[in-house]
Amino acid sequence: MEKYEMTCTCGHVTRLEAANEDEAIAKMKDAMDKKAIKEHWREMHPGNIAPSVEEVHQMIEQELMFSPATA
C-alpha cells in the first residue's frame, strides 16, 4: 500500500493508504461526505461557510498527493 496525504487550507493534514492514486482519491471522497465536510468546517474553520461536496471533491482530485516521506 502507498501513502497519500492532503493538507487543508487550515493546515489539517489527512493521511491514508491505498493501492494507487485512483483508490486514494475514491477513499478520500468517500470519507469527505456532506456530514464530514460540515463537521470539519465547524471545528477547523469556525464562522466560515463550508464548501459544497462537489467543491471539496474537486479539491481532492487536484491536491491529494503521494507521500513518499511517510512511506
Side-chain angles (χ1 to χ4, degrees):
M1 295 294 265
E2 297 177 337
K3 297 181 188 289
Y4 293 84
E5 67 180 40
M6 183 172 169
T7 303
C8 182
T9 58
C10 69
H12 179 260
V13 178
T14 302
R15 293 181 177 92
L16 59 89
E17 291 186 359
N20 56 51
E21 185 177 12
D22 289 337
E23 182 181 319
I25 289 170
K27 282 183 168 184
M28 183 70 80
K29 284 182 175 182
D30 284 347
M32 294 304 291
D33 61 11
K34 187 174 184 174
K35 182 179 176 182
I37 293 166
K38 184 177 177 180
E39 182 68 17
H40 175 80
W41 248 256
R42 185 185 64 75
E43 290 180 16
M44 305 300 288
H45 304 263
N48 293 311
I49 297 171
S52 69
V53 172
E54 292 79 17
E55 289 170 319
V56 171
H57 286 190
Q58 183 177 18
M59 286 183 241
I60 291 168
E61 289 175 6
Q62 294 172 349
E63 298 176 25
L64 186 71
M65 65 175 59
F66 176 67
S67 181
T70 58

